[in-house]
Amino acid sequence: MNELQELYQQVILDHNKNPRNFGELPQCNHHAHGHNPLCGDQIEVFISVDEKSGLIEDVKFKGAGCAISKASASIMTTLLKGKTIKEARKLFDDFREVVTLDSNSNPDVMNLGKLAVFCGVREFPARVKCASLAWHTMINALENSDVEQISTE
Amino acid sequence: MTIANRTKTIEEIRADFPILSRLVHGKPLVYLDNAATTQKPKQVIDAISDYYLNYNSNIHRGVHKLSQEATDEYEKSRTTVKNFINAHKYQEIIFTRGTTESINLVANSFVKPNLSEGDEVLISNMEHHSNIVPWQLVCEEKGAKLRVIPINDTGEIIFEEFEKLLTEKVKILSIAHVSNSIGTINPVKAMIEKAHAKGIPVLVDAAQSIQHIGIDVQDLQCDFLAFSGHKIYAPTGIGVLFAKEQHLKKMPPYQGGGDMISTVSFEKTTYNELPYKFEAGTTNIEGAIALGKAIEYFNSIGIGFISRHESELLEYGHSVLSEIKGLRFIGTAEQKASVISFLLDGIHPHDIGTMLDVDGVAVRTGQHCAEPLMKRFGIPATTRASFSFYNTKEEINVLAESIRKVIKMFS
């Protein structure tokens, strides 16, 4: 039961119930679709990057998915605001490390900040794709300003 | 018959399946994912060991003892399959890798050569992707159209619509006997009669019916019947295509290679007789032998007991789960195999699946390789519990209890 409580921490359940930054961003300059054909999860990520400062001004997402994918998307949007594109990529790399690290290794939780909440995902390899969908879609959105469909399959 | 076989008790049956006594996350395994694949009895597992321990060799080739024994067992299995589905001749039983390959074989060797632009292939809205994609591929190549029989809100074929779609353009009707996602049993016999009245051949996808319903191909009169071994207690990688001999005789080979030939020269090759013409290369010998053993085991339990016990489980499952507030069934057809698909208000099936797993309960979550069916119901996915004759009411209680825990956690 401990593993389960770690996966479904209060933070995850809260973001699932009340996702932050949920909706569309009509004036965004980066946008992508993500799809996990295995479970049917769909997500759209909208990012607005200020061209002068290079900072992410606003991020929104919408879609349907499991608690893990929804909470992951929601937490991701809260972390991205005010970051540069380079910092967003670094965050993506850190996130990937958190969800895929060998469960025997002991990452320094203090350094992970809010990403630490995703540590529980490692115990459930089948759910890594759920947690990753929003993040892959975000990277794809940053790379293409045009609409692209990406998949975690 | 003078002495009736004593029926095994459910405990004795469960003891035949060693995996059922293992623990998952420290809890007894409650295996309710039988529509994905069934567990194997030790009689089947032993048959595979026996083959490798005692007579492993290639079939139809060697003059040595081992090859003869392997060939005999392989062909004995073919006869077991023939008798099991009451086919007329062993020549009508082709071993394949599974249902998917069986359907692809028919699509490519039977339908494609006679398919022209404007022709149609008819399937239903509840097909598994394996009974959609092979047809799309041949239709695309030939400029033909894939037509889809609609279903109603309970998950049943709308028969009047089906009849309207049976036009002279249709070159084959390919239909699931039982829906893998929602368990609906389709009225295939009546559908075959209607199709045949218009001269349309019919393939029955029996992947989800062969393990629940006694199948008699001479009674059904289907032209083709496809199923997989692993859904009827045999290993993966072995399946069957039954096809009427009259069709097989006219069909070109599906794949070329060894064993499917009679003579080969660089100018001209003549093909082997039926069914070997359709079994190119070294086949899954131990799989075929194990399938025969699985069917023998299945018969020893008896279709009477199996259908009685599984309908009891289905009825019990429906009644226990319907007491859970916020649970909605997807697929409420009058005729159903022991498959229950459901949704919980506001909780995604993947979260349900993970949480049940921690209680040792194995179910399937997702789209069940039937994306168009999910679209038809306007849902992204479901949770599916599917029962075998080795499941018990106590296991369904564990499922229900675990679902209640999920709801509590998410409330």
Side-chain angles (χ1 to χ4, degrees):
Chain A
M1 200 58 193
N2 285 340
E3 287 170 1
L4 201 56
Q5 277 162 350
E6 173 141 17
L7 179 66
Y8 292 100
Q9 296 179 35
Q10 277 310 317
V11 184
I12 300 263
L13 293 175
D14 173 53
H15 276 268
N16 172 51
K17 234 180 194 174
N18 309 297
R20 322 295 196 268
N21 303 306
F22 191 82
E24 294 186 25
L25 204 57
Q27 294 90 10
C28 71
N29 45 16
H30 294 273
H31 174 216
H33 282 277
H35 178 220
N36 182 346
L38 189 73
C39 56
D41 286 1
Q42 299 269 2
I43 192 170
E44 260 182 276
V45 173
F46 307 84
I47 307 174
S48 166
V49 179
D50 183 79
E51 283 174 17
K52 276 185 199 159
S53 64
L55 296 179
I56 294 172
E57 277 188 327
D58 206 358
V59 196
K60 281 198 189 296
F61 82 99
K62 68 170 199 177
C66 62
I68 303 300
S69 79
K70 224 200 288 177
S72 182
S74 172
I75 292 167
M76 178 188 82
T77 59
T78 64
L79 295 175
L80 284 175
K81 280 190 203 177
K83 297 272 194 300
T84 64
I85 290 179
K86 202 178 161 195
E87 285 167 336
R89 287 185 198 284
K90 171 76 172 60
L91 210 53
F92 173 78
D93 292 338
D94 290 347
F95 166 80
R96 290 240 305 192
E97 202 166 325
V98 170
V99 295
T100 55
L101 259 186
D102 191 311
S103 59
N104 294 323
S105 65
N106 192 17
D108 187 350
V109 175
M110 294 307 287
N111 285 339
L112 295 174
K114 280 193 175 177
L115 289 178
V117 72
F118 296 114
C119 281
V121 176
R122 289 176 306 187
E123 303 297 329
F124 297 88
R127 307 303 301 278
V128 172
K129 279 177 185 158
C130 308
S132 308
L133 181 62
W135 293 78
H136 283 285
T137 311
M138 177 269 286
I139 288 295
N140 199 48
L142 289 177
E143 276 167 14
N144 305 290
S145 31
D146 296 322
V147 175
E148 286 279 329
Q149 173 107 6
I150 77 130
S151 153
T152 50
E153 272 305 284
Chain B
M1 205 180 293
T2 49
I3 305 164
N5 280 338
R6 186 181 69 90
T7 319
K8 280 184 176 177
T9 65
I10 190 76
E11 290 76 21
E12 285 169 330
I13 290 172
R14 289 180 68 84
D16 286 335
F17 293 80
I19 205 170
L20 295 180
S21 57
R22 78 160 273 185
L23 301 179
V24 169
H25 299 291
K27 306 274 176 63
L29 167 67
V30 174
Y31 187 78
L32 304 179
D33 195 15
N34 295 287
T37 197
T38 52
Q39 298 302 342
K40 320 306 171 199
K42 60 176 186 280
Q43 289 82 345
V44 168
I45 300 168
D46 289 347
I48 300 168
S49 304
D50 183 41
Y51 168 70
Y52 282 113
L53 290 171
N54 295 306
Y55 61 101
N56 168 46
S57 55
N58 213 328
I59 52 169
H60 302 146
R61 288 168 174 80
V63 292
H64 55 79
K65 176 77 175 157
L66 298 191
S67 177
Q68 193 52 53
E69 284 181 12
T71 304
D72 287 350
E73 284 300 313
Y74 183 83
E75 291 305 327
K76 201 176 109 192
S77 222
R78 196 189 305 276
T79 305
T80 305
V81 172
K82 172 192 97 70
N83 293 338
F84 184 57
I85 61 172
N86 195 29
H88 190 53
K89 293 174 157 184
Y90 78 87
Q91 287 91 340
E92 297 177 320
I93 304 298
I94 297 159
F95 285 125
T96 63
R97 284 190 294 139
T99 308
T100 299
E101 189 176 53
S102 298
I103 295 173
N104 275 281
L105 194 163
V106 176
N108 283 285
S109 291
F110 179 73
V111 175
K112 197 164 93 176
N114 303 311
L115 202 63
S116 312
E117 204 173 326
D119 283 347
E120 292 177 357
V121 168
L122 188 58
I123 60 171
S124 85
N125 202 164
M126 68 177 90
E127 301 307 322
H128 187 281
H129 294 163
S130 61
N131 197 25
I132 301 174
V133 184
W135 304 115
Q136 277 173 332
L137 289 171
V138 295
C139 283
E140 211 166 283
E141 197 181 320
K142 294 289 190 162
K145 257 196 195 149
L146 187 65
R147 302 298 297 267
V148 180
I149 309 163
I151 58 171
N152 64 24
D153 291 340
T154 69
E156 291 168 339
I157 294 272
I158 303 172
F159 209 84
E160 308 79 70
E161 296 298 322
F162 157 65
E163 288 189 79
K164 280 186 212 157
L165 286 164
L166 281 179
T167 65
E168 72 287 347
K169 288 181 186 166
V170 177
K171 292 296 172 274
I172 193 162
L173 163 67
S174 189
I175 181 86
H177 194 176
V178 167
S179 155
N180 73 307
S181 314
I182 55 174
T184 307
I185 302 175
N186 284 320
V188 284
K189 192 174 175 187
M191 294 176 84
I192 292 165
E193 273 170 22
K194 293 285 178 194
H196 282 179
K198 298 269 174 81
I200 299 166
V202 182
L203 184 153
V204 173
D205 172 356
Q208 296 289 344
S209 59
I210 192 79
Q211 68 279 47
H212 299 300
I213 302 168
I215 289 182
D216 178 335
V217 292
Q218 294 192 59
D219 176 54
L220 280 182
Q221 273 303 310
C222 54
D223 298 271
F224 303 96
L225 183 107
F227 68 90
S228 299
H230 73 98
K231 303 221 196 255
I232 182 162
Y233 310 96
T236 51
I238 186 74
V240 169
L241 173 67
F242 155 82
K244 282 183 179 168
E245 192 184 21
Q246 69 201 68
H247 297 316
L248 287 176
K249 277 184 169 165
K250 290 185 207 148
M251 287 158 62
Y254 175 49
Q255 292 176 326
D259 215 23
M260 52 78 69
I261 44 83
S262 174
T263 65
V264 175
S265 71
F266 288 118
E267 290 71 37
K268 171 93 186 142
T269 291
T270 56
Y271 304 122
N272 203 340
E273 60 196 29
L274 292 173
Y276 312 108
K277 180 172 123 184
F278 292 99
E279 292 180 2
T282 297
T283 52
N284 182 353
I285 302 167
E286 90 272 19
I289 293 170
L291 174 59
K293 298 294 173 195
I295 291 172
E296 281 171 20
Y297 179 82
F298 188 89
N299 284 336
S300 79
I301 304 297
I303 190 70
F305 171 83
I306 290 169
S307 53
R308 211 165 41 245
H309 184 71
E310 290 178 348
S311 346
E312 266 177 43
L313 291 176
L314 179 68
E315 200 180 318
Y316 185 75
H318 271 140
S319 98
V320 168
L321 298 185
S322 64
E323 287 169 15
I324 297 175
K325 220 179 139 200
L327 185 146
R328 177 159 71 96
F329 296 115
I330 298 295
T332 47
E334 230 165 82
Q335 299 293 320
K336 270 185 71 171
S338 50
V339 173
I340 298 181
S341 235
F342 63 90
L343 301 176
L344 294 183
D345 273 351
I347 309 176
H348 193 278
H350 259 195
D351 298 314
I352 301 168
T354 294
M355 299 179 79
L356 297 189
D357 177 52
V358 172
D359 278 343
V361 180
V363 293
R364 172 81 189 266
T365 61
Q367 303 186 323
H368 317 298
C369 298
E371 221 176 310
L373 181 67
M374 298 295 117
K375 271 201 190 112
R376 163 65 181 79
F377 284 105
I379 54 177
T382 77
T383 304
R384 179 189 70 188
S386 48
F387 312 124
S388 153
F389 57 76
Y390 49 58
N391 289 123
T392 64
K393 290 181 182 174
E394 289 72 28
E395 290 182 305
I396 295 175
N397 291 341
V398 174
L399 168 71
E401 202 43 51
S402 192
I403 292 172
R404 286 198 165 88
K405 273 168 50 185
V406 175
I407 294 173
K408 207 173 153 200
M409 183 145 176
F410 273 85
S411 65

